[in-house]
Amino acid sequence: MLTTCTTEKLDVPCTGSAHVPSELFDGLGARQAAISPKFLYDALGSKLFEAICELPEYYPTRTEAGIFERHGREIAHACGIGSTLIDLGAGNCAKAAALFPLLRPAQYVAVDISTEFVSEALARLRLRFPHIDMQALGLDFSSGLELPESVRAERRLFFYPGSSLGNFTPPEARVFLTRLRRGCGPDGALLIGIDLAKDKAILDAAYDDALGVTAAFNLNVLRHVNRLLGSDFDIRNWRHVGLYNEAAGRVEMHLEAKRFQSVRWPGGGRDFAAGERIHTENSYKYRQADAIGLLEQSGFEATRVWTDPRCPFAVIHAQAIA
């Protein structure tokens, strides 16, 4: 299990020496080769995702921001002030920071797998909000959520914006949300963004933009894997594929081999045929009722839901229940 990092200059998960290579070996060696989406977010990958959020095709960020802007006071009323705000996948911390004036958290905990990126963001944020206790945690919360004692136990509010819950399969999402419920304590809650089902053309464009930023983001994972494994992926031999799989109810991202190639790493390797793919990410899209049902199955009660009818997206406040 990944553990919290204290190193300031680190752009890979802080982990035991064998865990990350083992996970990558297993994924690349599987019949359907795969790389976990968490490896998309090294320092460069995090910056590329920031750029994706500015693209006209990528609707989730601006749609969710519009919900927070229109309903911010209602959201703050539901959440209450003085919480322990735990920002999962904090990135540049901008989404949480925009809510600080309304939520007035007693403590802000920025959790991200890219420790270097989030630590730099938090350093800037401390200058703007010196009265808020802040800390950065380098943590792979997708596989565990052991928070240190320095994180206040009182009134924990887990903040999981965007559409990242869709990276999990529905059964995995239930396990993840149940883990959050345990981490909440008796008086905790969750404020989560969930992308809702919509037209295939909108989804295809959002995950395969005309400028090619999403392609660069996806291809960068091979560079990251080379650094972690000592492998020799040649990015020029791969292309990005992003598409909505209607039958599965999810967007999929893949890397497709342009030609036959042999990729090697210390102690092993694999041949890839032309057209063979490495699966790098899913993004499931939910119906609102299904999203609420998933929260209830995980130990939460959805108390308020805010949506954008023009581009279906939901922000949900969910209280932990016994």
Side-chain angles (χ1 to χ4, degrees), residues 117-135:
F117 188 72
V118 74
S119 295
E120 291 174 355
L122 208 61
R124 295 189 296 269
L125 207 56
R126 286 191 180 103
L127 298 176
R128 294 173 53 199
F129 302 95
H131 58 286
I132 299 177
D133 175 25
M134 300 185 189
Q135 62 176 288

Side-chain angles (χ1 to χ4, degrees):
M1 184 178 64
L2 293 162
T3 55
T4 56
C5 301
T6 56
T7 307
E8 289 295 315
K9 293 296 183 182
L10 186 69
D11 63 354
V12 298
C14 183
T15 180
S17 60
H19 180 80
V20 166
S22 175
E23 183 175 1
L24 287 171
F25 289 146
D26 290 346
L28 290 171
R31 183 171 183 179
Q32 165 60 72
I35 299 171
S36 169
K38 65 188 177 187
F39 294 111
L40 292 164
Y41 296 93
D42 65 347
L44 178 57
S46 295
K47 292 183 185 298
L48 286 168
F49 184 72
E50 271 195 313
I52 288 171
C53 292
E54 299 295 326
L55 295 170
E57 296 98 329
Y58 194 74
Y59 61 85
T61 302
R62 66 174 178 272
T63 303
E64 184 181 56
I67 293 172
F68 282 128
E69 183 177 353
R70 288 191 300 275
H71 303 287
R73 293 192 180 278
E74 297 172 30
I75 292 170
H77 180 74
C79 295
I81 63 172
S83 65
T84 304
L85 183 59
I86 304 171
D87 189 359
L88 301 175
N92 64 7
C93 305
K95 292 183 179 182
L99 296 176
F100 282 0
L102 292 171
L103 295 180
R104 289 181 278 167
Q107 184 183 47
Y108 173 60
V109 183
V111 183
D112 201 276
I113 200 167
S114 180
T115 311
E116 178 184 10
F117 188 72
V118 74
S119 295
E120 291 174 355
L122 208 61
R124 295 189 296 269
L125 207 56
R126 286 191 180 103
L127 298 176
R128 294 173 53 199
F129 302 95
H131 58 286
I132 299 177
D133 175 25
M134 300 185 189
Q135 62 176 288
L137 294 179
L139 179 66
D140 176 17
F141 57 85
S142 68
S143 60
L145 192 65
E146 293 185 3
L147 299 174
E149 292 183 359
S150 57
V151 177
R152 294 171 73 251
E154 298 81 16
R155 298 195 53 235
R156 288 180 172 176
L157 175 63
F158 285 101
F159 182 49
Y160 199 39
S163 56
S164 296
L165 187 71
N167 291 158
F168 301 99
T169 66
E172 290 170 344
R174 189 176 302 111
V175 170
F176 171 71
L177 291 169
T178 301
R179 191 182 302 133
L180 292 189
R181 168 61 192 90
R182 289 196 299 267
C184 274
D187 59 353
L190 170 67
L191 184 63
I192 186 170
I194 296 180
D195 198 11
L196 302 178
K198 55 182 60 63
D199 185 75
K200 174 177 167 59
I202 295 173
L203 293 168
D204 285 345
Y207 290 83
D208 192 10
D209 62 277
L211 196 58
V213 182
T214 308
F217 171 67
N218 199 15
L219 286 163
N220 179 66
V221 77
L222 297 180
R223 172 184 169 274
H224 192 196
V225 168
N226 281 346
R227 190 164 71 252
L228 291 173
L229 288 188
S231 53
D232 61 356
F233 280 100
D234 187 338
I235 293 174
R236 296 169 297 183
N237 292 337
W238 297 84
R239 74 179 187 94
H240 163 71
V241 177
L243 52 88
Y244 180 55
N245 182 333
E246 292 185 86
R250 69 191 187 194
V251 174
E252 297 178 4
M253 290 208 317
H254 302 263
L255 292 169
E256 184 176 277
K258 296 179 181 178
R259 57 185 64 85
F260 172 84
Q261 57 199 284
S262 295
V263 178
R264 294 293 174 259
W265 49 76
R270 176 171 179 161
D271 293 341
F272 290 92
E276 190 171 358
R277 293 178 176 180
I278 302 174
H279 190 175
T280 57
E281 187 175 56
N282 290 324
S283 186
Y284 283 83
K285 308 303 175 185
Y286 287 89
R287 294 182 302 174
Q288 183 173 315
D290 293 336
I292 292 173
L294 181 61
L295 289 165
E296 291 175 347
Q297 294 164 24
S298 307
F300 290 98
E301 179 184 3
T303 61
R304 290 294 305 272
V305 180
W306 299 271
T307 60
D308 185 329
R310 295 168 299 177
C311 186
F313 191 96
V315 173
I316 303 176
H317 176 264
Q319 193 71 37
I321 55 177

